[in-house]
Amino acid sequence: MGLPDLWFILIAVLWTGYLVLEGFDFGVGMLLPVLGRKDKDRRAIINTIGPVWDGNEVWLLTAGGATFAAFPEWYATLFSGFYLPLLLILLALIIRGVSFEYRGKIADTRWAAWCDRGIIVGSWVPSILWGVAFANLVRGVELDASHTFTGGFFSLLNPFALLGGVVTLGLFLTHGAVFLALKTDGDIRVRARALGLRFSVGTTVAAGTWAVWAQLAYSVAWTWAAVAVAAVSLVLVVVMVAKDREGLAFLFSALGIVAAVVLIFGSMYPDVMPAIDPANSLNVDNASSTNYTLTVMTWVAAALVPVVLLYQGWTYWVFKKRITVAHIPEPIGLSLTKTDDVTSA
């Protein structure tokens, strides 16, 4: 196995970390209007991911940076061909991040409502579009002989890709509901667990349909193992949620997402961006950087990735306890109404 193959695997690992960790973030954001009946409920829900959501997004930045450095032609073709969906994802993530950061700055119901809308929209859009994008990478896209994307935006909205968007939406909703059941107590925990049970059943059906379609039409023999692991994991999520075993349900939900990533990247390999015409595909060899660049990147990754894993693991350990509405104080933000405190001399 050469360095290009190694970096293909490492990029898959980075995407796995992002989708597992940011996946429950997205799920929590999408469930905010469903489980957050009152302001304190919504604040408790947001606080479950408050210490970790921005750290989880680092995995996306690292995956994008690694792709740019290790496979520059893949990066160029991907970002030019998928420009509109990736732009929509970026805008959604910006709106979501701003809403998280500024929601508590002003103590006003209208301000909180608009920030909540930003969190909700900023969670729904990426949850769907990431699935659409990855499904297109499995199916193959329209590339010419110079590896230039020749399809339009609507060519990406094919039935296989749209079902992929439904699958990631369901996976993240299930993952988020199970996470909330694990991280909260009281009424929110009970309702999150009930939603997790409903979502897990529907997600299992949708994901199973898409995985079998992908396997039969676009994948290789060994990725049947990933399909089997995903299927067993999602069924066990249903079982564990029904038995009120939130910790195990969350682990199996995460394992299902890991198996999905293995299926996606395993179906692509040795291509990094498959084309409808296989002769025009970008692969790990014709899209990679020089051997010297990949060698330097490997040493840097070997030194820094363990540090990242340690501090992120420490963060989750510190904030591991459950949150209840009773832990949420009264708002201390500024007033949205302008006041004139200037007095004449």
Side-chain angles (χ1 to χ4, degrees):
M1 180 176 64
L3 287 176
D5 305 282
L6 174 63
W7 272 98
F8 180 82
I9 294 172
L10 290 177
I11 289 171
V13 170
L14 292 172
W15 275 108
T16 301
Y18 173 70
L19 295 174
V20 169
L21 298 176
E22 191 82 319
F24 67 75
D25 283 358
F26 289 145
V28 170
M30 289 187 287
L31 293 173
L32 188 62
V34 180
L35 296 175
R37 294 175 176 173
K38 300 178 181 178
D39 182 65
K40 281 197 173 184
D41 291 339
R42 292 189 289 273
R43 290 169 61 199
I45 291 169
I46 292 171
N47 281 354
T48 62
I49 59 174
V52 298
W53 70 266
D54 48 354
N56 293 343
E57 287 193 349
V58 171
W59 289 86
L60 174 61
L61 300 176
T62 308
T67 303
F68 173 77
F71 299 99
E73 192 164 354
W74 180 18
Y75 183 92
T77 304
L78 179 66
F79 276 76
S80 60
F82 289 22
Y83 180 82
L84 184 55
L86 291 177
L87 177 62
L88 291 174
I89 291 172
L90 177 61
L91 291 175
L93 293 177
I94 292 172
I95 292 170
R96 178 172 171 268
V98 170
S99 299
F100 275 133
E101 292 292 343
Y102 284 89
R103 189 186 191 278
K105 304 299 183 184
I106 296 177
D108 183 88
T109 56
R110 292 168 295 172
W111 177 267
W114 277 107
C115 288
D116 289 344
R117 293 185 187 105
I119 294 171
I120 295 163
V121 172
S123 300
W124 274 88
V125 171
S127 296
I128 297 172
L129 291 184
W130 280 132
V132 171
F134 279 112
N136 274 292
L137 289 179
V138 172
R139 175 179 176 268
V141 294
E142 298 175 27
L143 300 180
D144 62 17
S146 62
H147 308 306
T148 301
F149 180 75
T150 58
F153 172 71
F154 291 102
S155 70
L156 301 176
L157 303 180
N158 53 79
F160 180 73
L162 292 175
L163 181 56
V166 172
V167 171
T168 51
L169 178 66
L171 286 172
F172 294 162
L173 281 169
T174 302
H175 204 37
V178 173
F179 177 79
L180 283 173
L182 179 65
K183 281 289 293 177
T184 60
D185 212 342
D187 182 59
I188 297 176
R189 179 185 181 187
V190 172
R191 290 187 287 124
R193 196 162 52 209
L195 282 176
L197 184 59
R198 296 175 192 170
F199 289 141
S200 60
V201 174
T203 300
T204 300
V205 174
T209 303
W210 184 85
V212 172
W213 186 355
Q215 185 63 46
L216 294 176
Y218 307 112
S219 298
V220 293
W222 72 266
T223 51
W224 275 113
V227 174
V229 171
V232 172
S233 299
L234 292 176
V235 170
L236 287 174
V237 172
V238 178
V239 174
M240 292 302 143
V241 172
K243 292 184 176 182
D244 299 341
R245 302 289 299 275
E246 296 104 337
L248 287 175
F250 183 77
L251 288 176
F252 286 121
S253 178
L255 182 59
I257 296 175
V258 172
V261 177
V262 172
L263 172 60
I264 291 168
F265 279 83
S267 300
M268 293 165 56
Y269 184 81
D271 295 331
V272 293
M273 196 158 185
I276 300 296
D277 181 355
N280 297 334
S281 296
L282 279 168
N283 57 49
V284 293
D285 293 320
N286 63 21
S288 68
S289 295
T290 64
N291 190 70
Y292 178 78
T293 299
L294 296 178
T295 300
V296 173
M297 289 176 60
T298 302
W299 283 109
V300 172
L304 297 182
V305 170
V307 177
V308 174
L309 293 175
L310 283 173
Y311 82 67
Q312 192 160 28
W314 176 80
T315 302
Y316 278 93
W317 175 258
V318 170
F319 296 101
K320 66 181 182 296
K321 292 186 178 180
R322 293 181 182 271
I323 295 175
T324 67
V325 174
H327 294 132
I328 306 301
E330 294 300 321
I332 57 173
L334 301 173
S335 173
L336 187 62
T337 305
K338 182 177 179 181
T339 60
D340 187 4
D341 294 329
V342 178
T343 58
S344 58

